[in-house]
Amino acid sequence: MSSTESTELRHTALDAVHRSLGATMTDFAGWDMPLRYGSERDEHLAVRAKAGLFDLSHMGEITVTGAGAAALLNFALVGNIASVGVGRARYTMICQADGGILDDLIVYRLAETEYMVVANASNAQVVLDALTERASGFDAEVRDDRDAYALIAVQGPESPGILKSLTDADLDGLKYYAGLPGTVAGVPALIARTGYTGEDGFELFVKPEHAVELWQALTKAGEGAGLVPCGLSCRDTLRLEAGMPLYGHELTRELTPFDAGLGRVVKFEKEGDFVGREALAEAAERARHNPPRVLVGLVAEGRRVPRAGYAVVAGGAVIGEVTSGAPSPTLGKPIAMAYVEAAHAAPGTEGVGVDIRGTHEPYEVVALPFYKRRK
């Protein structure tokens, strides 16, 4: 691969729209994506109070079909995918044999023998390769559908009303983590009630050639409801406030789901073996009796912002490390997620700080999430 090929960024179907809106673009997992359109704080607060419109077309869609699709996914992933009903979705993970997390995923059951696995952009190829390899011996086909979809999300309390004006799909009957085929503004779409912001909202999977038309229709429908276009920057602060993990930060190959406090996604009770079962059983035991570190929330007493990789300290000793940190527009203070030694993980633990360029800034240990929407 030449240097020009290796540095060429991929563009979503909405690239020209983002540029026309004056977006600040950034390289994200090899994609040229909008970071922000104006003020990331204003975009964040719009999603919390009104609604935001996101281009998430960089996410990786992988379709798994065939009579053995459920059995393959039950073997390849840690969740019980066979028990997911048609039209429903499940948050799960794909792990290595040693229990380390390769990626966290959402799996949609589109039909009796058809599933869509949605991977993070940075891990889509890794997940595709792992599923293809693990499919050996199963009556199932794994298909790379990354180019078959654009993904647009509408998130925030006003999102149901905005979407209702463009579709006759039964949104009221659409539960959280469910998806149904429908038409939005005349465009065929998979309408899913999922998101990564801590708010109610929808993710719309459409053909790339319909993306601009749908984006424009949503923009027009949301004019009176406070809808604004939103970039990846506010998506990160929204998910951080909601205590949602980000791969490469809270989740890595060196950590198991139990290390991340997400052991609930591992379903030992499902039938048959699955990749990582033995190692994960040992990790579950460790987490129960002697967890090395625990994922906690930290809220600053001052104004200095912690960043990923900063040391968490107590009594002059390093007791952990920040995985994600940012100013919280909702709380009005800097916040962080961090892995800390179990002895310092209880909410309200005193004497905990973050080493910010040599100064130990005081932080309060809190339970995650930092923010929960009112139902």
Side-chain angles (χ1 to χ4, degrees):
M1 185 183 280
S2 73
S3 59
T4 51
E5 285 175 322
S6 63
T7 54
E8 198 169 304
L9 295 178
R10 299 185 68 185
H11 299 274
T12 77
L14 291 162
D15 185 70
V17 173
H18 302 317
R19 292 172 195 282
S20 72
L21 291 168
T24 300
M25 306 296 286
T26 188
D27 174 1
F28 186 84
W31 290 82
D32 204 13
M33 297 296 293
L35 188 63
R36 70 181 76 81
Y37 298 86
S39 153
E40 54 205 46
R41 182 178 178 276
D42 289 350
E43 290 171 25
H44 178 112
L45 293 173
V47 175
R48 287 278 178 257
K50 304 284 186 179
L53 189 60
F54 296 82
D55 178 10
L56 306 179
S57 303
H58 60 311
M59 301 294 280
E61 295 86 7
I62 300 160
T63 304
V64 181
T65 55
L72 162 60
L73 291 171
N74 259 19
F75 169 71
L77 311 180
V78 300
N80 189 352
I81 308 306
S83 69
V84 178
V86 173
R88 298 306 303 262
R90 185 156 295 167
Y91 176 77
T92 187
M93 294 183 187
I94 182 166
C95 289
Q96 303 174 138
D98 67 0
I101 304 164
L102 284 174
D103 201 14
D104 61 335
L105 313 162
I106 295 181
V107 179
Y108 297 88
R109 189 169 197 167
L110 304 181
E112 196 58 41
T113 60
E114 182 182 3
Y115 296 82
M116 181 168 67
V117 177
V118 181
N120 286 298
S122 55
N123 292 329
Q125 190 64 48
V126 169
V127 174
L128 178 67
D129 291 346
L131 286 175
T132 303
E133 185 186 323
R134 294 174 189 186
S136 177
F138 288 92
D139 181 12
E141 182 199 343
V142 177
R143 188 174 72 235
D144 181 358
D145 269 350
R146 283 177 286 181
D147 293 335
Y149 293 100
L151 177 55
I152 295 173
V154 194
Q155 298 281 303
E158 297 291 335
S159 58
I162 293 167
L163 202 55
K164 272 181 193 171
S165 70
L166 296 173
T167 183
D168 54 9
D170 178 18
L171 298 186
D172 291 334
L174 188 65
K175 296 187 175 75
Y176 187 50
Y177 266 74
L180 84 172
T183 303
V184 182
V187 169
L190 171 67
I191 305 165
R193 200 163 207 151
T194 46
Y196 194 51
T197 61
E199 298 298 337
D200 191 11
F202 303 87
E203 295 184 320
L204 309 170
F205 295 86
V206 299
K207 288 182 175 175
E209 57 264 34
H210 294 148
V212 172
E213 181 188 345
L214 180 57
W215 179 280
Q216 289 171 343
L218 287 162
T219 299
K220 194 166 184 348
E223 274 173 1
L227 177 78
V228 302
C230 292
L232 293 182
S233 188
C234 84
R235 190 168 184 250
D236 191 49
T237 51
L238 289 159
R239 71 92 196 165
L240 176 56
E241 287 184 350
M244 294 174 166
L246 175 63
Y247 196 89
H249 291 255
E250 289 72 41
L251 309 175
T252 70
R253 292 184 185 210
E254 284 68 50
L255 296 167
T256 73
F258 294 95
D259 295 322
L262 291 165
R264 64 181 181 276
V265 306
V266 182
K267 303 301 181 189
F268 293 114
E269 68 276 14
K270 65 180 173 177
E271 280 182 31
D273 195 16
F274 63 91
V275 177
R277 179 191 272 274
E278 200 175 311
L280 288 167
E282 290 171 15
E285 202 60 29
R286 272 197 312 276
R288 248 195 312 273
H289 300 296
N290 188 26
R293 284 185 172 182
V294 178
L295 187 64
V296 300
L298 299 174
V299 177
E301 292 180 23
R303 310 299 307 168
R304 298 183 76 187
V305 178
R307 298 296 181 193
Y310 284 11
V312 182
V313 294
V318 174
I319 58 151
E321 186 177 298
V322 170
T323 52
S324 296
S328 164
T330 305
L331 301 187
K333 298 175 179 180
I335 58 172
M337 285 201 270
Y339 282 104
V340 302
E341 291 172 7
H344 301 272
T349 300
E350 294 184 351
V352 172
V354 175
D355 187 337
I356 301 181
R357 298 188 186 87
T359 305
H360 292 184
E361 298 285 338
Y363 273 74
E364 181 190 355
V365 179
V366 300
L368 292 169
F370 300 96
Y371 166 86
K372 263 188 188 158
R373 71 182 170 99
R374 290 189 294 277
K375 300 290 182 191

